[in-house]
Amino acid sequence: MFISGHGSVKVLERTVSYILIVLAVCLWELISRSGIVSIALFPPPSTVFFKLYLMVASGVLLQEYFTTLYRVLVGFLSGAILGMVFGVLIAYSRIASRTLYPIIAMFSVMPTLALVPLLIIWIGLNDMLAITAVFLCSFIPLAYNTVSGTRHIDPEVIDVAKTLGASRLELLAKILLPQALPSIFSALKLEAAMAWKTCFVTEFIALSSGLGRLMIEALNTLSVDEMIALLLILALSSYGFVRFFEELEKSFLAKWGYRV
Amino acid sequence: MTEIEIVSVRNYALKNVNLKFKDKEFSIVLGPSGAGKTTLLKVIAGVVKYKGHVYFNGKCVDNVFPGERKVGYVPQSLALFNHMTVWDNVAFGLKVRGISEKIVYEKVSYTLKLMDIYHLRNKYPLKLSGGERQRVAIARALAIEPKILLLDEPFSNLHVSLKLELLSKIISISKEKGLNVIIATHNLDYTEMLNERTVVLNDGKVVYDGMFKDLLLRKEILNILPIVSLHVDSIEPLVNGLSLAKVGNLKIIVPWEREDNNVRAIIIPSDKIVLSNIPQRIQANTYPALVRDIHMVNSWVNLSLEIKDVYLEIKIPYSSIKDLKNIKKGVIVYIKFPIRHIRVI
């Protein structure tokens, strides 16, 4: 292949990565079929994909998938939006900074899943449990990163905006929040995958619906092909979610001239 | 249109500063780093806290919100809004004032054309060159039709020709609009060309307030500034654009082509002087000099030099000296005054 420019290099890289994936799947199939390991413990991809087809055809998978998707979207988006608002407020208000920032900083180092047992007692075993776990998983990092992002804004940007006549609200909405976007997007990308994991594990531990519940059922019946199929769906969903925010980041920051 | 009076202003960087800037005056605030130049501009803009009073046309503005002071402020970092296009940057101050879209359109178009950046209106600041960004920052400050324009180190990191081009643009705009312009700088590349009212700040205090030419007679003030000044005995044309200035027995080639008996001195920014103890190839304006005294203060080296019969006291940064450890009292060094950095007053 003749490589003429940057675009061609990208196509080549992508083609190589697809070939590697196909090779890995072939190797997996070969090892499973060779009898080196038990086919029941390490089913070949053909069996996994067939199982996936059966799960989709029966309608069970889609129903549970949409339940998990709903929890992830509601929890993540509400957490992210509120996290950003809180972050800007903390960065801008000295009182909020002194009172709320230490709490946010403390919770930012705590894994959200550690809070799930407590949430079970406070909220009960329902949709809100998973939504709250996902909410916390996005809210705290987003608030923390927004504070960091706004604190790194050149103070002279704020001075200039004031001399131009910006009110406090205009300063927050039109200057601070957009200028903090590089930090915000870093958090969004990191936490997007974490939201799926948190929801999956919360369902797995405590709920009777969603992909996590299917995982527990598969474990109970020792259906390894179903477990691998579920993990594939989880990985693809997380990846898709992260890619969505990467593209969103590119559409904003690359346009502004930031290196993305 | 605005007279500015600063009365007993003090804060973390200023110590009882009293100043008066006349209507439509073009002023330079000079001083070393940390002298309080930026803070003085911020006091006038109303974006820092201070004790004392600031009056615009006799009216106290201490409690007037920065956005209502009619001050255009261009900080050293330019502080452009990177998430907005050039157009939106310039329109920002008008939009937040609730001005109608039609007038915003007219004023922004006019200001962009005035600063020769209309063709860049849809670009984002990070995609512009240093000079273009500088123009955007000035256009943004001018769009709100200020009465006072404050420029903090406005031309740092710009090429000399670009500096002079922008400076003449600002001078013509300020004259046309009757603006009060205050430029804070430690850069002397263009200051002497203005020959305007000059305020020198040092350690938060006003140590000089007068015309730039007269400043050259005040040795104690010159010592504060990163500048070397040499008294000129006579000057005669050499070739196109160059003249030979006589400083005692020293003949220095200077960028000067007019026949002017009023030439008083030549000045060179200290950080542009090159000093070395290694004999130089024959180069213009390079002279052997005897070190009569040398001592170091922070990142500066104070030197007493004897060049022919001329005694020179200079303060230059470490970075301008090659092989500093071998430069001692009594040795011969070679000093170079680069022609392009010399200014004739």
Side-chain angles (χ1 to χ4, degrees):
Chain A
M1 185 190 280
F2 179 71
I3 301 170
S4 60
H6 192 63
S8 306
V9 174
K10 265 190 174 174
V11 170
L12 182 67
E13 283 171 357
R14 198 162 289 176
T15 311
V16 169
S17 88
Y18 289 147
I19 290 170
L20 283 175
I21 291 169
V22 171
L23 280 176
V25 171
C26 290
L27 191 68
W28 173 10
E29 182 80 27
L30 212 69
I31 293 170
S32 288
R33 298 276 177 201
S34 68
I36 301 169
V37 286
S38 160
I39 204 161
L41 294 177
F42 193 59
S46 53
T47 312
V48 171
F49 291 131
F50 184 65
K51 185 72 185 178
L52 198 59
Y53 165 73
L54 291 179
M55 287 162 76
V56 174
S58 68
V60 175
L61 182 66
L62 285 181
Q63 189 189 332
E64 301 301 342
Y65 182 80
F66 283 119
T67 304
T68 302
L69 180 66
Y70 164 75
R71 290 166 179 163
V72 169
L73 286 181
V74 173
F76 186 77
L77 294 180
S78 57
I81 292 166
L82 266 176
M84 282 184 248
V85 173
F86 254 73
V88 174
L89 283 175
I90 290 169
Y92 193 63
S93 153
R94 196 172 290 172
I95 297 169
S97 175
R98 283 180 186 159
T99 52
L100 296 175
Y101 187 66
I103 300 169
I104 298 274
M106 191 180 74
F107 275 98
S108 72
V109 293
M110 187 184 285
T112 315
L113 286 173
L115 295 171
V116 171
L118 202 60
L119 293 177
I120 291 173
I121 296 168
W122 286 345
I123 297 170
L125 304 176
N126 53 47
D127 262 354
M128 275 311 288
L129 175 68
I131 290 173
T132 310
V134 176
F135 172 89
L136 290 174
C137 157
S138 60
F139 173 78
I140 292 166
L142 259 295
Y144 189 73
N145 270 42
T146 308
V147 175
S148 309
T150 47
R151 282 186 177 171
H152 284 105
I153 293 172
D154 177 3
E156 293 196 319
V157 167
I158 297 167
D159 287 344
V160 168
K162 283 180 181 171
T163 63
L164 293 172
S167 65
R168 285 173 79 93
L169 194 64
E170 281 160 341
L171 198 58
L172 279 175
K174 293 181 179 172
I175 305 293
L176 291 181
L177 196 55
Q179 295 248 331
L181 274 185
S183 299
I184 290 171
F185 271 115
S186 298
L188 280 174
K189 285 188 294 183
L190 273 175
E191 300 311 318
M194 190 52 83
W196 278 90
K197 288 175 205 160
T198 305
C199 190
F200 190 82
V201 175
T202 308
E203 290 169 348
F204 181 97
I205 297 169
L207 296 179
S208 57
S209 59
L211 292 177
R213 182 199 60 110
L214 289 184
M215 191 63 152
I216 279 291
E217 282 178 3
L219 176 66
N220 290 339
T221 55
L222 292 178
S223 175
V224 179
D225 49 358
E226 192 177 334
M227 290 164 83
I228 295 174
L230 287 167
L231 287 176
L232 277 177
I233 289 168
L234 179 69
L236 285 174
S237 302
S238 302
Y239 179 70
F241 213 39
V242 173
R243 285 288 300 162
F244 169 76
F245 286 109
E246 277 177 357
E247 289 304 317
L248 200 66
E249 180 186 40
K250 269 187 201 167
S251 72
F252 278 102
L253 303 188
K255 187 176 75 178
W256 297 347
Y258 286 95
R259 283 188 188 170
V260 182
Chain B
M1 286 185 276
T2 303
E3 188 181 81
I4 308 162
E5 195 176 357
I6 294 165
V7 181
S8 295
V9 163
R10 56 213 180 270
N11 61 10
Y12 59 90
L14 299 174
K15 295 169 185 166
N16 200 30
V17 169
N18 291 285
L19 279 171
K20 204 169 187 175
F21 296 95
K22 280 183 248 159
D23 184 22
K24 298 176 195 171
E25 195 171 37
F26 205 108
S27 316
I28 306 291
V29 178
L30 274 178
S33 297
K37 306 182 294 288
T38 300
T39 311
L40 178 69
L41 297 194
K42 287 187 174 184
V43 163
I44 297 170
V47 291
V48 287
K49 287 183 179 169
Y50 58 87
K51 286 181 179 167
H53 304 289
V54 176
Y55 298 91
F56 289 175
N57 286 336
K59 189 188 156 200
C60 181
V61 292
D62 296 339
N63 296 318
V64 176
F65 186 68
E68 289 161 14
R69 290 191 178 200
K70 280 269 175 189
V71 169
Y73 175 50
V74 180
Q76 187 176 6
S77 68
L78 302 182
L80 291 175
F81 306 142
N82 292 333
H83 60 289
M84 295 181 192
T85 60
V86 167
W87 179 280
D88 289 334
N89 263 276
V90 177
F92 183 82
L94 299 169
K95 284 182 180 169
V96 296
R97 280 155 208 262
I99 293 170
S100 77
E101 272 191 37
K102 188 175 169 252
I103 296 172
V104 169
Y105 179 83
E106 283 167 9
K107 286 190 176 178
V108 174
S109 302
Y110 167 77
T111 314
L112 290 175
K113 283 173 189 164
L114 185 72
M115 292 305 295
D116 304 322
I117 47 170
Y118 186 74
H119 60 290
L120 302 173
R121 64 192 178 283
N122 294 323
K123 291 204 169 186
Y124 286 88
L126 289 178
K127 294 184 175 176
L128 303 177
S129 70
E132 289 168 341
R133 287 164 53 78
Q134 212 96 27
R135 284 168 189 269
V136 176
I138 296 168
R140 182 180 60 181
L142 288 174
I144 58 167
E145 295 177 346
K147 303 267 191 268
I148 302 159
L149 183 62
L150 306 173
L151 305 166
D152 191 2
E153 299 283 3
F155 313 121
S156 52
N157 305 323
L158 287 191
H159 189 265
V160 177
S161 60
L162 203 55
K163 278 178 192 176
L164 296 178
E165 188 193 328
L166 262 177
L167 181 64
S168 47
K169 185 106 205 159
I170 291 167
I171 293 171
S172 71
I173 291 170
S174 69
K175 280 188 178 151
E176 185 191 320
K177 298 186 181 300
L179 289 177
N180 247 3
V181 179
I182 304 174
I183 296 182
T185 183
H186 72 279
N187 192 327
L188 296 155
D189 275 2
Y190 54 88
T191 311
E192 75 285 1
M193 295 194 71
L194 292 167
N195 194 28
E196 300 284 349
R197 187 257 184 105
T198 305
V199 172
V200 180
L201 282 180
N202 188 36
D203 195 23
K205 291 178 207 153
V206 177
V207 291
Y208 177 81
D209 186 359
M211 298 307 283
F212 187 78
K213 273 193 175 181
D214 302 328
L215 169 66
L216 299 173
L217 302 171
R218 302 279 298 274
K219 213 160 178 63
E220 78 282 7
I221 305 297
L222 286 176
N223 285 340
I224 296 166
L225 300 170
I227 177 179
V228 170
S229 164
L230 300 172
H231 178 80
V232 173
D233 297 323
S234 66
I235 191 162
E236 56 193 56
L238 200 62
V239 286
N240 271 354
L242 295 176
S243 296
L244 199 62
K246 284 186 184 165
V247 178
N249 284 335
L250 210 59
K251 289 175 183 168
I252 300 175
I253 302 168
V254 296
W256 183 256
E257 55 188 342
R258 280 179 281 158
E259 282 190 30
D260 190 342
N261 293 329
N262 291 328
V263 169
R264 208 184 266 175
I266 60 171
I267 60 168
I268 311 137
S270 307
D271 58 344
K272 305 299 181 203
I273 290 175
V274 182
L275 200 77
S276 169
N277 71 333
I278 304 155
Q280 301 290 300
R281 284 185 293 118
I282 297 169
Q283 286 183 6
N285 288 354
T286 303
Y287 311 93
L290 175 69
V291 178
R292 296 173 66 87
D293 196 13
I294 178 169
H295 62 273
M296 285 140 214
V297 181
N298 299 324
S299 58
W300 294 84
V301 181
N302 291 335
L303 281 156
S304 291
L305 299 174
E306 185 183 334
I307 313 170
K308 297 192 176 173
D309 64 343
V310 178
Y311 292 92
L312 192 62
E313 300 277 337
I314 60 169
K315 184 170 115 177
I316 58 178
Y318 279 170
S319 53
S320 298
I321 303 178
K322 290 175 186 166
D323 203 13
L324 176 65
K325 65 179 187 299
N326 289 325
I327 295 181
K328 292 170 187 148
K329 193 173 171 180
V331 303
I332 299 289
V333 294
Y334 296 84
I335 187 165
K336 181 181 176 184
F337 305 114
I339 297 171
R340 67 193 177 101
H341 294 297
I342 296 175
R343 297 288 179 268
V344 179
I345 307 291

